[in-house]
Amino acid sequence: MVSSRTSAAEKEMGGAVKREKRYRAHQGFGDYHGGVTGAHTYFYADEAKCDQHMETFLHCIDASSGSSDDGFSAIKLTALARPQFLVRFSEVLVKWRRFFHQMAAEQGQAGWAVLDTKLELEKLQEALANFGIASKAESQQWFTGTRSTVDLLDWNSLFDSRIKLSRPLLIPNRKTGQLEPLLSHFSEEEELQMKRVLQRMDILAKRAMEKGVRLMVDAEQSYFQPAISHLTVETQRRFNKSQPIIYNTYQCYLKEAYNNVTGDVERSRREGWHFGTKLVRGAYMEQERERAAQMGYEDPINPTYEKTNEMYHRCLDYILEEIKHSRKASVMVASHNEDTVKFTLRRMMELGIHPSDKKVCFGQLLGMCDQITFPLGQAGFPVYKYVPYGPVNEVLPYLSRRAQENRGFMQRANRERDLLWKEVKRRLLTGNLFSH
């Protein structure tokens, strides 16, 4: 449980590492099932239990391969890694990105879109020297080539190499003016945890590739998600070179969803791998808002359902444009929303994306929204049913929450039933029961 553990590195420093509020343990949220409407979450027992979860996922990949020629299998990283490690790693990633945006604000770029934000290299090197982070000679070794600016992707790649250094990396707290450690050394235990979770993902990705199954990494709570997304992208870089095997999941109820999507698409372009994604609205809204209110940080969720819809369609449209222009992107539209499905079909037609291209597929939960699933399949679109599995005492509460969440769609199902019955009666009266 997240609330029960403190990292060894923090203990070594006497608790001197200041934690971002979102990434602190909170006793009331040790059980992170609470307030979750549409997803299953895992408790950490030990590394052996993580290995057992991996074996279960391997069986699931095999089952998916046996039931479909082009199937999917979903995994959760909280089943494969200690949640406290994911929280701690997420905090490090967020601090590193925030420092970039703070420096961008000083260069007059506050609030700019992530791909438009570029730091002038000379000013960046001066700032790093002034803060005592690195001399100009040191920072010149970090930035190679003839570039004159540094964007967030360049900055993040710098983090990937700097994290391996033995001495702590210090960054300034802009409020206090004091230098603080971005990360005290990961303990040996945490280094091992990092290696183990990457090894487990590697094993799962190799099995998926062997079996012709695509692997979806589910999104989870926002205080886990930066680490989950980072580890997923690292796996995509290795396994999506010729086709999209690994799919990352983006939660469009998050305010930062569009920046996350556009940043990762741009990285896939620069490095030449296939971008695979599942777009969802999100399953942790109530819990996220309650936790933010209790712990005193900004609510990460869009303020209204309408804003979430706008975000979903904005992210989806960006990916569809990428499919049209590069053909190296694929998306699962995981939605029970009829308007979103209609929006996708209209944009596919406008952009000339044909169902047979198999770049766009749709997904709904098994037993729900069949009035959306079946017409899509009959029209030739790739469409999948998400099949939950596990102990009955865990699966039934999950399904009941999803049924409650989707109770509005039952009215649409009734309408679909009424239309079908009307059509049956029309054909009976005209004597054309088995013809159009």
Side-chain angles (χ1 to χ4, degrees):
M1 293 173 60
V2 172
S3 60
S4 64
R5 294 173 172 87
T6 303
S7 74
E10 287 180 54
K11 290 177 181 177
E12 289 170 6
M13 298 189 69
V17 179
K18 292 189 177 181
R19 306 298 304 276
E20 295 285 331
K21 287 183 179 179
R22 193 194 301 191
Y23 305 98
R24 294 175 187 163
H26 187 287
Q27 187 67 34
F29 293 89
D31 178 353
Y32 44 93
H33 289 72
V36 178
T37 59
H40 177 70
T41 49
Y42 289 83
F43 284 105
Y44 177 83
D46 51 37
E47 292 298 301
K49 191 66 176 177
C50 290
D51 288 335
Q52 290 178 20
H53 290 150
M54 182 188 70
E55 291 297 327
T56 300
F57 289 147
L58 288 170
H59 292 316
C60 185
I61 291 170
D62 293 343
S64 181
S65 173
S67 62
S68 172
D69 292 334
D70 198 15
F72 284 93
S73 184
I75 65 172
K76 283 184 175 289
L77 283 199
T78 51
L80 300 174
R82 180 181 174 188
Q84 182 63 22
F85 166 74
L86 296 175
V87 171
R88 178 163 149 74
F89 190 27
S90 291
E91 180 186 23
V92 169
L93 292 166
V94 168
K95 278 187 174 181
W96 183 250
R97 295 169 193 167
R98 183 171 297 158
F99 182 43
F100 172 87
H101 289 296
Q102 288 170 345
M103 290 189 291
E106 292 189 357
Q107 295 190 17
Q109 300 180 42
W112 287 25
V114 65
L115 294 183
D116 295 332
T117 306
K118 293 178 173 62
L119 303 180
E120 294 181 31
L121 181 55
E122 286 191 10
K123 290 184 178 179
L124 171 59
Q125 289 177 320
E126 289 175 8
L128 293 173
N130 291 337
F131 289 130
I133 296 173
S135 68
K136 196 163 186 178
E138 285 179 314
S139 62
Q140 281 176 342
Q141 296 178 4
W142 301 356
F143 304 104
T144 58
T146 59
R147 73 181 77 184
S148 60
T149 60
V150 175
D151 64 15
L152 184 60
L153 296 182
D154 299 323
W155 183 250
N156 285 342
S157 65
L158 175 63
F159 168 83
D160 291 340
S161 59
R162 291 286 292 173
I163 194 173
K164 298 173 184 176
L165 298 183
S166 58
R167 67 183 179 89
L169 179 60
L170 302 177
I171 62 171
N173 183 316
R174 313 299 283 168
K175 293 182 180 178
T176 66
Q178 301 296 313
L179 288 176
E180 296 177 355
L182 173 68
L183 61 142
S184 54
H185 314 293
F186 276 149
S187 66
E188 290 186 10
E189 176 193 352
E190 288 166 329
E191 290 283 1
L192 283 173
Q193 288 172 1
M194 173 77 87
K195 291 178 182 177
R196 285 168 182 158
V197 67
L198 286 171
Q199 287 171 351
R200 292 177 187 121
M201 292 182 73
D202 191 76
I203 290 169
L204 292 170
K206 286 179 178 176
R207 178 69 66 86
M209 184 174 284
E210 290 169 3
K211 296 290 185 176
V213 173
R214 289 164 291 179
L215 199 62
M216 296 187 300
V217 181
D218 277 350
E220 305 193 47
Q221 288 91 337
S222 65
Y223 40 93
F224 297 134
Q225 195 54 39
I228 290 172
S229 189
H230 182 91
L231 294 168
T232 302
V233 169
E234 287 302 307
T235 308
Q236 287 180 310
R237 295 176 69 200
R238 296 198 305 276
F239 289 93
N240 286 11
K241 292 179 180 178
S242 59
Q243 59 181 318
I245 297 294
I246 310 300
Y247 277 56
N248 202 357
T249 302
Y250 297 88
Q251 300 161 305
C252 294
Y253 68 1
L254 293 178
K255 295 173 183 175
E256 59 188 19
Y258 186 74
N259 280 341
N260 293 338
V261 168
T262 55
D264 288 346
V265 168
E266 176 62 22
R267 184 170 186 179
S268 72
R269 287 180 194 143
R270 294 184 188 183
E271 298 177 350
W273 45 271
H274 288 253
F275 178 81
T277 179
K278 178 177 72 168
L279 282 186
V280 301
R281 279 173 170 77
Y284 306 94
M285 183 175 68
E286 291 180 12
Q287 186 195 68
E288 291 278 12
R289 285 189 165 149
E290 182 183 355
R291 192 177 190 272
Q294 289 193 24
M295 298 184 69
Y297 59 85
E298 181 184 350
D299 183 356
I301 307 297
N302 286 315
T304 65
Y305 184 72
E306 289 71 26
K307 288 293 183 183
T308 293
N309 284 343
E310 290 176 14
M311 180 66 78
Y312 194 106
H313 291 178
R314 188 184 182 199
C315 293
L316 176 57
D317 198 54
Y318 187 88
I319 296 167
L320 293 175
E321 289 279 358
E322 181 68 13
I323 291 171
K324 175 188 177 182
H325 292 107
S326 79
R327 315 302 293 180
K328 294 186 76 173
S330 300
V331 61
M332 170 178 276
V333 181
S335 177
H336 294 150
N337 187 297
E338 285 186 16
D339 291 335
T340 292
V341 172
K342 291 176 181 176
F343 172 85
T344 308
L345 299 180
R346 175 174 61 81
R347 290 297 289 142
M348 288 178 67
M349 183 178 297
E350 292 170 353
L351 295 169
I353 302 171
H354 196 270
S356 62
D357 295 337
K358 294 187 176 180
K359 296 292 184 180
V360 181
C361 63
F362 298 85
Q364 289 88 39
L365 191 65
L366 180 66
M368 294 185 185
C369 294
D370 289 347
Q371 79 278 7
I372 294 177
T373 309
F374 294 153
L376 283 171
Q378 291 166 353
F381 291 90
V383 60
Y384 295 83
K385 281 299 193 182
Y386 196 97
V387 184
Y389 62 92
V392 172
N393 63 331
E394 293 185 11
V395 173
L396 284 181
Y398 166 86
L399 290 174
S400 67
R401 289 195 300 270
R402 292 311 298 267
Q404 184 179 14
E405 174 189 322
N406 289 287
R407 61 187 180 276
F409 294 107
M410 296 305 295
Q411 297 174 355
R412 296 192 181 101
N414 291 337
R415 188 181 71 225
E416 182 79 5
R417 182 198 60 196
D418 293 341
L419 289 171
L420 288 170
W421 180 235
K422 183 178 179 180
E423 176 65 12
V424 169
K425 288 193 290 185
R426 185 191 69 78
R427 294 189 184 189
L428 283 172
L429 289 173
T430 58
N432 296 313
L433 181 60
F434 300 107
S435 63
H436 294 293

